[in-house]
Amino acid sequence: MSDPRQALILIHGIGEQRPMDTLRGFVDAVLDQQQTNRLVDAKYYSKPDFLSDNYELRRLVSAGGHGDRTDFYEFYWAHLMPTAAWDRLAGWYWVLMYRRFRDVPGRIKPIWLLSWLVLIGVVALGVYSSTHFLLGYPVAPGALDKAPWFLLLVIGILSATVRSFIGDAAVYLSPTPANIEARQKIRAAGLNLLDKVIASGRYDRVIVVGHSLGSIIGYDILSLAWQKRFDDVRARLTAAWQRGELPKIASVAIRNAEGLAKTIRDIDDPNEAEREELAGKWRRATWEVAEEQASNGDPWPISDFVTLGSPLTYANFLLARDDADFGRRTGERELPHCPPARELTRRFSFEHKGVDNQGRVQKAVVLNSAAVFAATAWTNLFYPSFAVLRGDFIGGPVAPLFWAGVRDVPVETSTWAGWLAHTHYWTRNPLDNSLATAPLPNLREALDLGRERKWPLNSQPAATTTAAANVATSIPDAETGARVVPAAIAPRRGHKAVNQKSPRLPLSKDPPTDPTL
């Protein structure tokens, strides 16, 4: 590629979003674009976007030299989301409520209990009012029957708010027959945009960023895109063999990553420093795997998945019926993990076999259909929450569910004193400049638009790392070519420990092998 560029695809969250509003605010913050009318001060330009199939959208291109530009795209899906009817909201509400208490995540349990109390109270009030009506008594005696217009106004505002915001989650996260069409359209549109960005051949690196519900949509799109690539890789190899071509397929990076994955899986309930270290090593491993895949002729340019305020912290509650169901789906590789789940072979790769034009058996090592996070690094930013309203209750750490290859980054902000922080992941606040945990600097670090790869930093390996894992996770030195072990990562200054243990889900560390492979 003569003029390498990188693309960033931003996926917005719930609500009545307007096209480009989220993207412009995001790019302004990430590139530190100040209010100005002087063209010379512009840090990005607006150009046509013919990849999104939506003429309301534009492509924002960072200013600068030809070798370090970033094209920013918005995956806008709000127009594909219908306004949720009350029956859909009620259906999703009941699915979430009809759980055993032990299957409800700890942070949600107080709200879950309160919701049951409210539900019981409403039902009791309805029975009481109906009984009085049947007996001939007025239904709403006293002050309530004198203020019907006020009640209608309150109910109308509440209805519009709930249906416009919570309704998006209810439709997308509930695969009922009534919601399938909307889910299909959103995923198809996102996958189509991602395919076009990759197929354009313009970008050697692609970053996917998802905020709120957009992080779940991004997770789904990446999973589908990888599954398509999985089929394409096998088809390409089979076709090459049948033509008599025998491409050499390297697998050293895959084997090293599989060794590191075992180390990550074998550490129970790692603390914050250990999580940071393991995530750093895994990020380096994904770089190596991606580079090896490209050298094999099957490039996967999606280097990073960045989630902001992600509800995936409640994946076992939102994406499954209970912990056992979540364990089954992860074990069957329906929900990809980071690092990927291993098969009975203790690997997340397998030998794809075929026959060449002379009838000889050929084979090559191929990553399985759920190994997307073997080549894509996952970083998750979240505000630790307190009492629901402080911090970000919607988001949270995802590594406890999706394993320690995910780099969870707790952040803090002075905006609104940290209250209701769900929409403040790229808010520019001068008071945050002195915080090591400020959201915007950590977001820029995760995106690494300058391709500096300064993280993870160098320090001594942790005591939990075994000699075998050191060999498995070694990387080539840039100058000598000798393989060296990535150093451990010291916890970032100012970060507070995340007091959340990994749930004891019924996950097999070695899920069954897919017999169809």
Side-chain angles (χ1 to χ4, degrees):
M1 186 178 297
S2 59
D3 183 18
R5 299 163 73 107
Q6 57 190 358
L8 186 150
I9 301 175
L10 178 65
I11 309 175
H12 65 78
I14 61 176
E16 298 292 334
Q17 307 281 349
R18 293 175 62 87
M20 298 299 295
D21 279 0
T22 302
L23 183 63
R24 287 188 185 278
F26 180 89
V27 177
D28 281 347
V30 168
L31 298 184
D32 197 25
Q33 175 67 67
Q34 304 299 325
Q35 291 285 351
T36 179
N37 294 323
R38 287 160 41 90
L39 186 60
V40 69
D41 295 328
K43 295 189 177 181
Y44 66 87
Y45 308 103
S46 175
K47 294 189 176 183
D49 173 13
F50 295 115
L51 299 181
S52 300
D53 295 332
N54 186 337
Y55 297 133
E56 300 291 340
L57 301 176
R58 304 278 294 179
R59 171 170 55 100
L60 303 183
V61 182
S62 65
H66 292 288
D68 59 355
R69 287 193 174 180
T70 303
D71 289 0
F72 296 88
Y73 294 88
E74 179 177 21
F75 172 43
Y76 181 79
W77 53 265
H79 64 300
L80 301 174
M81 180 67 72
T83 300
W86 281 109
D87 60 334
R88 299 189 190 185
L89 284 167
W92 186 56
Y93 174 77
W94 180 246
V95 167
L96 297 181
M97 292 294 294
Y98 192 65
R99 307 285 180 95
R100 294 174 298 183
F101 183 74
R102 68 184 183 186
D103 291 328
V104 179
R107 287 201 297 164
I108 296 182
K109 283 180 178 177
I111 296 179
W112 185 84
L113 290 172
L114 179 62
S115 297
W116 267 112
L117 291 175
V118 171
L119 179 61
I120 294 172
V122 169
V123 171
L125 180 61
V127 172
Y128 175 81
S129 300
S130 299
T131 302
H132 272 59
F133 176 77
L134 293 175
L135 295 177
Y137 295 102
V139 176
L144 292 181
D145 61 352
K146 300 178 182 178
W149 294 110
F150 175 75
L151 290 178
L152 289 176
L153 177 62
V154 171
I155 293 173
I157 294 175
L158 181 62
S159 173
T161 302
V162 170
R163 294 176 68 189
S164 297
F165 289 87
I166 300 178
D168 289 352
V171 171
Y172 190 82
L173 296 176
S174 181
T176 60
N179 298 333
I180 295 298
E181 182 179 7
R183 287 161 53 92
Q184 176 72 11
K185 287 181 178 179
I186 292 172
R187 290 172 174 173
L191 187 59
N192 181 57
L193 173 60
L194 191 58
D195 284 345
K196 285 185 175 181
V197 168
I198 295 175
S200 69
R202 181 183 299 172
Y203 308 106
D204 67 332
R205 182 189 181 213
V206 178
I207 309 163
V208 177
V209 181
H211 174 243
S212 189
L213 181 60
S215 67
I216 301 182
I217 295 173
Y219 176 82
D220 290 342
I221 293 171
L222 281 178
S223 302
L224 292 170
W226 180 265
Q227 290 163 12
K228 287 182 60 179
R229 176 194 178 276
F230 168 75
D231 291 334
D232 292 343
V233 168
R234 294 200 301 172
R236 184 190 69 82
L237 285 172
T238 300
W241 291 335
Q242 292 175 352
R243 292 193 303 267
E245 301 172 3
L246 304 177
K248 184 177 180 180
I249 306 299
S251 59
V252 175
I254 292 177
R255 293 292 183 246
N256 289 344
E258 287 170 334
L260 175 58
K262 181 181 184 304
T263 301
I264 292 175
R265 288 299 314 276
D266 288 346
I267 298 179
D268 292 329
D269 294 328
N271 58 37
E272 184 187 12
E274 289 173 331
R275 286 185 188 277
E276 185 82 353
E277 175 193 350
L278 294 172
K281 290 183 177 180
W282 186 252
R283 187 171 189 174
R284 286 181 181 270
T286 63
W287 294 342
E288 283 199 327
V289 170
E291 290 169 359
E292 186 175 76
Q293 294 291 294
S295 69
N296 289 339
D298 297 304
W300 174 253
I302 305 173
S303 66
D304 289 271
F305 179 43
V306 180
T307 52
L308 311 171
S310 177
L312 286 171
T313 189
Y314 309 115
N316 57 331
F317 184 70
L318 297 175
L319 305 184
R321 291 190 298 272
D322 50 34
D323 287 347
D325 185 42
F326 183 78
R328 178 183 65 82
R329 296 189 183 200
T330 54
E332 294 176 353
R333 301 199 301 274
E334 178 182 334
L335 300 175
H337 274 67
C338 182
R342 297 177 297 150
E343 304 176 13
L344 287 177
T345 59
R346 298 184 180 276
R347 297 171 177 171
F348 43 77
S349 64
F350 67 98
E351 288 188 343
H352 172 59
K353 298 180 180 180
V355 179
D356 64 18
N357 61 344
Q358 298 183 30
R360 297 171 300 188
V361 175
Q362 303 294 333
K363 59 185 178 180
V365 175
V366 176
L367 291 166
N368 70 28
S369 61
V372 56
F373 295 114
T376 299
W378 184 352
T379 305
N380 175 63
L381 273 65
F382 68 97
Y383 290 105
S385 65
F386 174 75
V388 179
L389 298 180
R390 186 170 179 83
D392 181 9
F393 182 79
I394 295 175
V398 300
L401 289 178
F402 291 93
W403 305 341
V406 182
R407 185 194 181 203
D408 277 329
V409 183
V411 293
E412 302 174 15
T413 183
S414 300
T415 304
W416 292 6
W419 296 92
L420 298 173
H422 183 61
T423 59
H424 296 156
Y425 284 93
W426 56 86
T427 299
R428 289 182 286 184
N429 187 335
L431 297 178
D432 291 344
N433 291 340
S434 61
L435 295 177
T437 53
L440 193 52
N442 279 282
L443 174 58
R444 290 171 178 155
E445 179 188 55
L447 299 177
D448 191 23
L449 298 183
R451 308 194 193 210
E452 297 176 351
R453 290 189 173 185
K454 288 184 177 180
W455 186 90
L457 304 175
N458 291 323
S459 64
Q460 294 300 316
T464 54
T465 304
T466 64
N470 286 344
V471 174
T473 60
S474 62
I475 62 173
D477 183 83
E479 297 181 358
T480 66
R483 301 193 67 81
V484 297
V485 179
I489 310 306
R492 295 185 309 282
R493 290 179 294 105
H495 278 203
K496 296 181 179 179
V498 181
N499 186 20
Q500 178 170 343
K501 288 188 175 182
S502 302
R504 311 318 300 167
L505 299 181
L507 274 172
S508 170
K509 290 190 176 182
D510 296 304
T513 302
D514 189 341
T516 64
L517 296 180

